[in-house]
């Protein structure tokens, strides 16, 4: 069965919007766990717009599920990761003005920046995943960087407005996944996935071992609760 990482950044976004102590991030993670989440994913952004350093500490010390920390390859966030020691660090590109992570890393042009971060995290006992667009050169670079995994950006697939584009994007994900698996990389995917587009993706791409999903699950949770929203997503992964 495909592992489901539930991204709970949005829970922290609601809390930060009013500067309250609620909603409680640990309670949210535990509800996601009750619904069948296999890991909790959070993005410690440089501007700390949602997840805070204290959230990471609490999740790491109180939660039995593995923690996947999304992060930019920058010095101070890397230091936080090394102190927190999540099970996995997923390196992502970060732009302050973006709403969410809009694209994958460019491992080819940023090799010299990313390589030492990968090294440091691995030395710290943290598995490293690289969030990339589904392109062959990016997958090959991830392999050269000796990452454990790649997470393929599914945003263009998810955002496709017609079948032709969707199939084209699906084909790119399929090829990149096949190559990654062949090179010994674990294959994860995420971004923009929801209750309608996740099934067709995993059916078309059997190499995918893990999905990280946030927005759709937290949005659904408003109506049914977070545990049920996660359970409904898990049921699509069987
Ligand atoms: N994976 C990565 C690397 C991300 O940056 C995000 C967004 O924070 C997600 C998965 C989840 O995307 P979504 O919220 O669209 O499900």
């Amino acid at each position: 069965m495909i592992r489901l990482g539930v991204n709970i950044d949005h829970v922290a976004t609601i809390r930060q919007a009013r500067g309250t102590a609620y909603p409680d991030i640990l309670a949210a993670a535990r509800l996601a766990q009750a619904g069948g989440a296999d890991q909790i994913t959070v993005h410690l952004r440089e501007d700390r717009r949602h997840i805070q350093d204290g959230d990471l500490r609490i999740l790491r010390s109180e939660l039995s599920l593995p923690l996947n920390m999304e992060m930019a390859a920058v010095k101070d966030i890397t230091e936080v990761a090394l102190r927190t020691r999540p099970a996995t660090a997923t390196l992502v590109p970060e732009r302050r003005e973006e709403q969410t992570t809009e694209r994958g890393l460019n491992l080819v042009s940023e090799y010299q920046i990313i390589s030492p971060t990968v090294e440091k995290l691995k030395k710290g006992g943290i598995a490293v995943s690289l969030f990339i667009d589904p392109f062959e050169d990016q997958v090959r670079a991830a392999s050269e960087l000796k990452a454990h995994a790649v997470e393929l950006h599914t945003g263009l697939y998810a955002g496709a407005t017609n079948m032709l584009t969707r199939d084209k994007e699906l084909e790119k994900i399929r090829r990149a996944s096949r190559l990654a698996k062949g090179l010994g990389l674990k294959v994860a995917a995420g971004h923009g996935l929801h209750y309608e587009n996740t099934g067709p993706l995993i059916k078309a791409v059997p190499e995918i071992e893990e999905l990280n999903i946030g927005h759709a699950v937290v949005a659904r949770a408003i109506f049914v609760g977070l545990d049920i929203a996660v359970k409904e997503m898990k049921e699509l992964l069987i």
Side-chain angles (χ1 to χ4, degrees), residues 5 7 9-10 41-43 45 50 68 70-71 90-93 99-103 130-132 151-154 189-194 211-217:
N7 183 314
D9 292 349
H10 284 334
T41 297
V42 288
H43 185 170
R45 295 189 72 104
H50 38 56
N68 172 29
E70 294 175 5
M71 54 176 276
T90 301
L91 298 185
V92 301
Q99 272 187 330
T100 177
T101 320
E102 288 159 358
R103 58 179 178 84
L130 300 172
F131 189 49
I132 55 171
E151 179 170 337
L152 300 175
H153 197 310
T154 50
H191 212 280
L193 297 177
H194 55 58
L211 296 174
N212 287 294
I213 307 181
H215 185 75
V217 170

Side-chain angles (χ1 to χ4, degrees), residues 17-32:
R18 296 291 290 272
T20 50
Y22 62 87
D24 184 304
I25 203 85
L26 179 61
R30 286 192 168 139
L31 267 183

Side-chain angles (χ1 to χ4, degrees), residues 26 48 83 90 96 112 115 122 186 212 215 218 222:
L26 179 61
R48 307 298 199 273
R83 282 198 298 276
T90 301
R96 280 188 193 230
Q112 301 306 331
S115 178
K122 284 177 69 175
K186 190 180 111 183
N212 287 294
H215 185 75
V218 177
I222 293 170

Side-chain angles (χ1 to χ4, degrees), residues 147-178:
H148 296 87
V150 285
E151 179 170 337
L152 300 175
H153 197 310
T154 50
L156 290 179
Y157 159 75
T161 51
N162 61 66
M163 287 304 280
L164 195 70
T165 313
R166 200 184 89 148
D167 288 350
K168 215 177 86 202
E169 292 304 325
L170 207 50
E171 184 56 25
K172 276 160 54 183
I173 298 168
R174 196 186 289 144
R175 279 168 189 263
S177 298
R178 224 176 271 158

